[in-house]
Amino acid sequence: MAAPTGNGPVIPILGFLTCVAFIYLSFGDLWFGLKTEGELAFVKRNGTQFVVDGKALYVNGWNSYWFMDHAVNDHSRHRVSAMLEAGAKMGLTVCRTWAFNDGGYNALQISPGRFDERVFKALDHVIAEAKTHGVRLLLSLVNNLQAYGGKTQYVNWAWQEGVGLSSSNDSFFFDPSIRRYFKNYLTVLLTRKNSLTGIEYRNDPTIFAWELINEPRCMSDVSGDTLQDWINEMTAFIKSIDNKHLLTVGLEGFYGPSSPKKLTVNPERWASELGSDFVRNSDSPNIDFASVHIYPDHWFHDQGFEEKLKFVVKWMLSHIEDGDKELKKPVLFTEFGLSNLNKDYDPSQRDRFYRTIFDVIYKSAKRKRSGAGTLVWQFLIEGMEGFNDDFGIVPWEQDSIQRLMIEQSCRLSRITGRHLLDKKSIEMCSHRP
């Protein structure tokens, strides 16, 4: 047998490498395109529309405020994944949830500037799971209400440290010490590096947007000046740290005392005396889109179901008109629900209520108006009775609601052509009208 020459093994190796290089140069972009197909891009704003990858995005989503709280413990963490998976299967694109828990049980912020790493890792988990399921998160930063701490907890902290100016909950908006507390929280949260993904929150496109505060009211100053000053200061502060994400206030949508719509559109007179003003607050320069809630059950005490439906249409169309003409920004209806405690309640009413709201958004989207989408309040999974209220739904237990949600997802995606972009949407929407 002849001995091998020195170059023998090199020739086939070089041939193999040449072949690999040719395949890479020919198909490399396709390969990496397939590999990153599921990656989320940042949602941006173009006038009155949300835009992703150059296409308009209309939101069909839901609220599950309890995500972080349930992600803390091993026995309940699975509920986050289960709800996100169910939402994704319905074609839902955004979930609104709390990114705060101030003081109390499972607190994220134990006291001013002190954070529980165990709870922060739970929020990391929520964001990582949302990314896995292709769902974006609208993260709310503080509560006007007392649940999960809210502005009351900040005021109590200031009193405990002997620096509080007033015992009024509204001092949250004007007390310099409390403003410092909140800015410190914002800094820590926005620059948090996710322990699972390695991405800082401010750089993570899984986050759809930040919501400054849930349902702000400042009834000690009905002129609205105090709340407006706070909104202007805090939104500028957030944008100085994070200019990649969209930002909204978190309003209920009531018109203030100087608005011509305070008597013609507001549910009742009290709604103009809460220290908030939909147009003025939403027009703040660092606010990217307006937020509105829809709760005729809580806002009226003597109206029947048919009257409430008429109000809902008028309420939505008024705010969409504001988005088009006054604000020139998208309008997202971030909470809506129909109570099952109404004396004349029938489950079929919820179907009509949802359908009415979805139809307004669909028509707005078809006309490229500012109605940017809706988020149902609220979705749960089985065994969460303690977290339920008179609006809560386990969607797969109510087939008609689930069908409505899927239908709306398909209708909105068809308007933008998104139903043709991935296999899941094609399968979900191919047999729907």
Side-chain angles (χ1 to χ4, degrees):
M1 177 184 263
T5 62
N7 290 333
V10 176
I11 294 171
I13 291 171
L14 284 173
F16 172 75
L17 292 175
T18 302
C19 182
V20 169
F22 173 78
I23 292 171
Y24 172 78
L25 290 171
S26 300
F27 302 105
D29 288 342
L30 175 61
W31 164 252
F32 284 103
L34 291 171
K35 187 177 179 182
T36 60
E37 184 180 13
E39 291 292 315
L40 296 174
F42 280 95
V43 178
K44 302 183 182 300
R45 175 174 74 90
N46 182 10
T48 60
Q49 292 185 317
F50 295 131
V51 176
V52 179
D53 295 328
K55 285 183 176 289
L57 173 71
Y58 296 102
V59 173
N60 188 30
W62 82 100
N63 284 266
S64 286
Y65 73 89
W66 44 270
F67 274 180
M68 181 174 68
D69 190 49
H70 278 63
V72 175
N73 299 310
D74 292 340
H75 70 273
S76 56
R77 190 171 299 129
H78 70 279
R79 291 172 174 162
V80 176
S81 301
M83 190 65 252
L84 285 166
E85 182 178 356
K89 285 181 178 177
M90 290 185 281
L92 308 186
T93 51
V94 176
C95 176
R96 177 171 172 263
T97 193
W98 295 168
F100 63 83
N101 188 359
D102 301 303
Y105 180 70
N106 277 346
L108 174 61
Q109 187 173 200
I110 303 166
S111 60
R114 289 184 60 231
F115 296 85
D116 188 333
E117 179 63 17
R118 181 180 59 106
V119 182
F120 241 138
K121 285 182 175 177
L123 186 54
D124 293 345
H125 174 79
V126 170
I127 296 170
E129 280 297 301
K131 179 180 181 181
T132 298
H133 290 93
V135 174
R136 292 180 173 85
L137 299 172
L138 172 55
L139 294 178
S140 190
L141 299 172
V142 71
N143 208 352
N144 188 80
L145 310 172
Q146 291 189 22
Y148 292 82
K151 63 183 187 182
T152 300
Q153 180 61 73
Y154 279 88
V155 174
N156 289 341
W157 281 335
W159 272 94
Q160 289 163 11
E161 295 192 2
V163 295
L165 293 180
S166 167
S167 59
S168 165
N169 284 352
D170 286 348
S171 66
F172 174 82
F173 296 117
F174 61 77
D175 189 316
S177 297
I178 296 174
R179 287 192 180 199
R180 283 196 299 273
Y181 293 163
F182 190 56
K183 284 181 176 178
N184 180 71
Y185 157 76
L186 292 173
T187 302
V188 171
L189 187 83
L190 296 173
T191 59
R192 163 78 177 183
K193 180 181 281 189
N194 191 309
S195 60
L196 298 173
T197 66
I199 304 171
E200 287 190 359
Y201 287 7
R202 61 180 169 178
N203 295 325
D204 194 338
T206 310
I207 298 168
F208 169 77
W210 302 109
E211 180 183 89
L212 185 58
I213 179 171
N214 175 49
E215 298 188 340
R217 297 181 179 186
C218 184
M219 297 171 68
S220 61
D221 181 7
V222 297
S223 75
D225 292 345
T226 299
L227 179 59
Q228 186 67 33
D229 288 346
W230 182 83
I231 290 170
N232 290 342
E233 181 176 340
M234 293 304 163
T235 55
F237 183 77
I238 290 172
K239 289 289 189 177
S240 73
I241 299 172
D242 175 8
N243 61 4
K244 293 182 178 179
H245 286 105
L246 302 177
L247 182 58
T248 193
V249 178
L251 297 165
E252 295 161 279
F254 301 125
Y255 295 99
S258 61
S259 171
K261 292 185 175 183
K262 69 176 182 179
L263 297 177
T264 58
V265 183
N266 272 351
E268 292 174 352
R269 181 174 176 175
W270 54 264
S272 66
E273 300 171 350
L274 304 175
S276 64
D277 186 307
F278 172 72
V279 173
R280 183 186 182 194
N281 299 157
S282 302
D283 203 30
S284 186
N286 289 302
I287 291 299
D288 297 295
F289 66 95
S291 53
V292 186
H293 293 178
I294 310 172
Y295 287 116
D297 301 323
H298 283 179
W299 299 343
F300 296 102
H301 305 292
D302 56 354
Q303 283 198 355
F305 178 69
E306 298 299 331
E307 291 176 294
K308 290 174 183 174
L309 280 187
K310 290 177 182 176
F311 167 79
V312 165
V313 173
K314 181 180 180 181
W315 179 252
M316 293 182 72
L317 292 178
S318 173
H319 288 84
I320 291 170
E321 179 185 57
D322 296 331
D324 290 334
K325 297 179 179 178
E326 299 287 332
L327 302 170
K328 296 177 174 53
K329 299 176 182 181
V331 178
L332 187 61
F333 296 86
T334 51
E335 287 188 27
F336 72 89
L338 185 74
S339 173
N340 61 14
L341 298 181
N342 296 327
K343 58 185 177 183
D344 64 342
Y345 177 76
D346 181 271
S348 64
Q349 291 177 347
R350 263 198 185 145
D351 293 1
R352 286 189 62 200
F353 187 81
Y354 281 40
R355 165 72 72 185
T356 298
I357 290 169
F358 288 160
D359 283 350
V360 171
I361 290 299
Y362 177 61
K363 291 172 184 175
S364 175
K366 282 183 71 175
R367 296 167 186 162
K368 294 184 168 62
R369 298 188 65 192
S370 67
T374 57
L375 304 173
V376 177
W377 183 276
Q378 61 161 323
F379 280 173
L380 310 129
I381 70 167
E382 303 94 332
M384 291 187 63
E385 288 76 13
F387 287 79
N388 204 350
D389 54 23
D390 45 319
F391 301 97
I393 294 172
V394 178
W396 49 90
E397 289 183 351
Q398 301 198 23
D399 189 51
S400 61
I401 294 294
Q402 190 172 16
R403 284 199 310 270
L404 272 175
M405 299 299 295
I406 294 172
E407 180 189 329
Q408 182 73 346
S409 295
C410 293
R411 290 201 297 176
L412 294 178
S413 64
R414 280 198 189 95
I415 291 173
T416 61
R418 291 185 178 275
H419 68 298
L420 300 173
L421 296 181
D422 65 88
K423 186 177 179 181
K424 181 184 71 176
S425 294
I426 292 170
E427 290 176 354
M428 183 178 71
C429 301
S430 60
H431 303 300
R432 298 193 169 265

